[in-house]
Amino acid sequence: MVLSLSSQNVIQYLRDAGLCSSEDGASDKSELPKNSKKNFNLLVTLADNRNLLVKQESITNNDETPHEFFNEWLFGQLLGQFPVLGNISAIAPSVLHFDQENSILVRNYLSEYLELGQYYQKNDIFLPEIASAIGTTLAGLHRATFNRREYKDFMSTAPEGQFRYGFYNPAQGINSIGPDIFGVVPTDALKFYVLYQRYESLESAIADLAYNWQPCCLTHNDLTLNNILVHSRWEQLDNCLVRLIDWEACSWGDPAFDLGTLLASYLQIWLSSLVVDPTIELEESLHLAMTPLEVLQPSIVALIRSYLNAFPMILEYQHDFILRVIQFAGLALIHQIQDMITSRKYFNNSDICMLQVAKNLLTMPEQSVLTIFGISESTILKPVANLHKLPQPEKEQQLLRIYYEKTRLRGC
Ligand SMILES: Nc1ncnc2c1ncn2[C@@H]1O[C@H](COP(=O)(O)OP(=O)(O)O)[C@@H](O)[C@H]1O
Ligand SMILES: [Mg+2]
């Protein structure tokens, strides 16, 4: 990497790249809060009021130039190459510039949009309309690219000087750990690795999920609420309520992975609001949450229903689609815990609860459907099935709750 971007040299950089003229100047340059552990992000407002997001990937420890922006750029190229994907280009802000040598990417910054994670945090209201718009948007991406050879071939392009032998399978467990872990993670967090390794059923569920990973369409692969923007006046708009950003991990992948990652991001709102105490059982903690699961369920159900409504064909291709979404959500929770440990050096009792829930989602997906959605698989599918004549499941699953419905108070 040649250039290290800063608020001092960013304007000169944009001028050299032809993205602003010397008269343009900048009225404002601000560093965006560090959401991500790996990128340095600058928001630049030019004199003509254009807002640009300038991202630079951090130099990795081994000093190799990272190549993750390449995928985001490649996605932009795909949209340019195949105008028939026009509807999809509306869901992502356009990439204006990509500099592979310095790992810099410039995008249009949509100032009238808000990051959904922050929006939920501030408002603490979860209207199903937003989740429904996300479901329809995501289904549009998956459906438009589903089983299309030309898009798959395009996405297999590798950065210059590299080869791409296959698409990365993101259904991976935690790597085996060695003695070096002691210097890297806080002592409290060792419990996470001990528990993870103790659950054999968990490791085998992840191995099955990886084995059954079915890449069949373009996937975002990092679909958390932080990577979704919602229009600040979404209630007055008919469309384009949401935009998807941060396409660094996008690839040819399994649609259940995207939906599972998003589901996990909703579940995290619930799981990070638990009241955790060594004297309280897990099921009690889950019920004493400041943001109860019941508050999120209308959004979660709207998300999956609107997705299936816009892309019912996926159910013919993957009969167990909903169960795999649940399992991928469990896997995403495990990765979130691990990210917290490695990037923020943070682990506490609520992460142990999260691990338990993740394990249940991965190892008992049938039972977890009722817990997570609050309704059975056939009830989720009913409105979709009525509209699209779906094949009916052969028999109703025996559904059990994975925790008790009523909170039992200690000593009562
Ligand atoms: N086009 C945009 N419009 C508005 N906000 C954006 C836009 N792009 C990024 N952001 C904000 O900047 C943050 C970081 O951008 P992102 O592409 O997700 O980078 P990172 O890889 O660092 O997560 C986002 O979480 C969001 O808050
Ligand atoms: Mg991001």
Side-chain angles (χ1 to χ4, degrees):
M1 203 174 298
V2 182
L3 176 90
S4 179
L5 206 65
S6 69
S7 50
Q8 280 76 43
N9 62 16
V10 66
I11 293 301
Q12 190 55 47
Y13 180 83
L14 293 174
R15 276 185 195 144
D16 294 346
L19 292 168
C20 74
S21 64
S22 39
E23 300 91 59
D24 267 348
S27 60
D28 192 28
K29 291 164 283 181
S30 50
E31 213 173 300
L32 286 176
K34 239 185 160 18
N35 248 341
S36 109
K37 50 205 175 292
K38 53 188 182 9
N39 298 335
F40 173 69
N41 298 330
L42 278 169
L43 168 59
V44 179
T45 305
L46 298 173
D48 61 2
N49 272 340
R50 268 187 307 144
N51 289 307
L52 303 181
L53 175 77
V54 188
K55 306 199 328 176
Q56 182 168 41
E57 278 179 272
S58 310
I59 303 164
T60 50
N61 291 339
N62 51 14
D63 215 23
E64 272 176 25
T65 311
H67 285 295
E68 301 205 349
F69 286 167
F70 178 81
N71 290 337
E72 183 152 358
W73 173 80
L74 190 63
F75 173 60
Q77 295 297 105
L78 176 87
L79 299 177
Q81 186 99 354
F82 298 96
V84 57
L85 287 173
N87 286 346
I88 305 301
S89 55
I91 69 177
S94 39
V95 173
L96 304 175
H97 171 79
F98 171 54
D99 167 357
Q100 185 162 333
E101 196 188 357
N102 293 305
S103 272
I104 295 176
L105 186 105
V106 183
R107 279 201 316 242
N108 270 333
Y109 186 88
L110 309 162
S111 36
E112 69 281 30
Y113 281 76
L114 310 164
E115 187 190 299
L116 189 56
Q118 283 173 17
Y119 174 87
Y120 279 149
Q121 219 171 28
K122 263 193 210 139
N123 297 293
D124 206 29
I125 302 173
F126 303 92
L127 296 172
E129 287 87 339
I130 292 181
S132 196
I134 303 171
T136 311
T137 302
L138 184 62
L141 169 77
H142 292 166
R143 189 191 53 216
T145 54
F146 182 63
N147 278 346
R148 299 292 295 262
R149 179 94 215 190
E150 64 274 38
Y151 307 145
K152 181 180 175 188
D153 290 346
F154 193 93
M155 290 309 291
S156 58
T157 313
E160 219 178 285
Q162 287 192 16
F163 293 100
R164 199 166 253 180
Y165 297 105
F167 293 104
Y168 175 70
N169 179 348
Q172 308 284 337
I174 304 291
N175 288 341
S176 53
I177 53 167
D180 52 328
I181 190 107
F182 292 105
V184 182
V185 308
T187 320
D188 283 352
L190 292 175
K191 212 190 264 171
F192 166 72
Y193 295 94
V194 170
L195 286 172
Y196 178 84
Q197 288 185 338
R198 192 182 293 161
Y199 301 137
E200 269 178 37
S201 58
L202 179 60
E203 282 196 276
S204 76
I206 296 175
D208 284 349
L209 202 56
Y211 181 76
N212 293 313
W213 179 68
Q214 293 173 50
C216 60
C217 63
L218 187 71
T219 48
H220 181 286
N221 288 341
D222 190 14
L223 208 55
T224 63
L225 296 172
N226 295 332
N227 287 333
I228 298 177
L229 307 177
V230 59
H231 200 284
S232 54
R233 289 175 287 106
W234 66 269
E235 280 154 301
Q236 287 126 51
L237 298 179
D238 290 333
N239 54 18
C240 254
L241 313 185
V242 294
R243 304 278 192 128
L244 311 185
I245 56 166
D246 202 352
W247 292 81
E248 284 172 46
C250 80
S251 179
W252 204 249
D254 189 327
F257 182 84
D258 271 351
L259 218 49
T261 309
L262 192 51
L263 174 59
S265 206
Y266 272 101
L267 295 181
Q268 219 198 354
I269 301 176
W270 164 52
L271 294 169
S272 58
S273 77
L274 301 186
V275 175
V276 182
D277 184 279
T279 62
I280 303 179
E281 300 278 342
L282 170 67
E283 62 263 27
E284 288 181 25
S285 278
L286 294 174
H287 274 292
L288 292 172
M290 303 287 280
T291 307
L293 180 57
E294 289 75 12
V295 169
L296 298 166
Q297 273 169 341
S299 288
I300 293 172
V301 172
L303 172 73
I304 189 110
R305 275 195 177 142
S306 63
Y307 179 91
L308 293 174
N309 223 0
F311 188 27
M313 204 208 298
I314 193 61
L315 292 168
E316 285 168 35
Y317 183 76
Q318 297 185 359
H319 297 289
D320 53 354
F321 183 72
I322 293 186
L323 300 185
R324 295 175 69 251
V325 167
I326 288 274
Q327 289 187 298
F328 277 123
L331 186 64
L333 289 177
I334 288 178
H335 284 293
Q336 277 169 22
I337 302 171
Q338 198 198 16
D339 276 358
M340 283 293 268
I341 294 174
T342 49
S343 64
R344 306 212 188 142
K345 311 274 176 227
Y346 185 75
F347 183 79
N348 67 12
N349 281 340
S350 66
D351 295 313
I352 296 183
C353 291
M354 203 189 292
L355 177 61
Q356 294 286 350
V357 171
K359 173 176 163 275
N360 290 344
L361 300 187
L362 273 154
T363 58
M364 301 191 287
E366 283 93 354
Q367 290 93 322
S368 304
V369 167
L370 185 59
T371 308
I372 297 304
F373 293 101
I375 51 178
S376 68
E377 191 179 355
S378 59
T379 316
I380 296 171
L381 292 176
K382 206 172 269 165
V384 187
N386 289 345
L387 269 177
H388 299 282
K389 292 210 174 63
L390 296 178
Q392 290 298 312
E394 275 159 26
K395 63 176 174 63
E396 182 74 18
Q397 306 268 6
Q398 281 294 308
L399 295 167
L400 297 171
R401 286 200 170 261
I402 57 172
Y403 64 91
Y404 297 106
E405 196 166 0
K406 291 273 174 286
T407 307
R408 289 165 305 124
L409 294 177
R410 302 214 132 236
C412 293

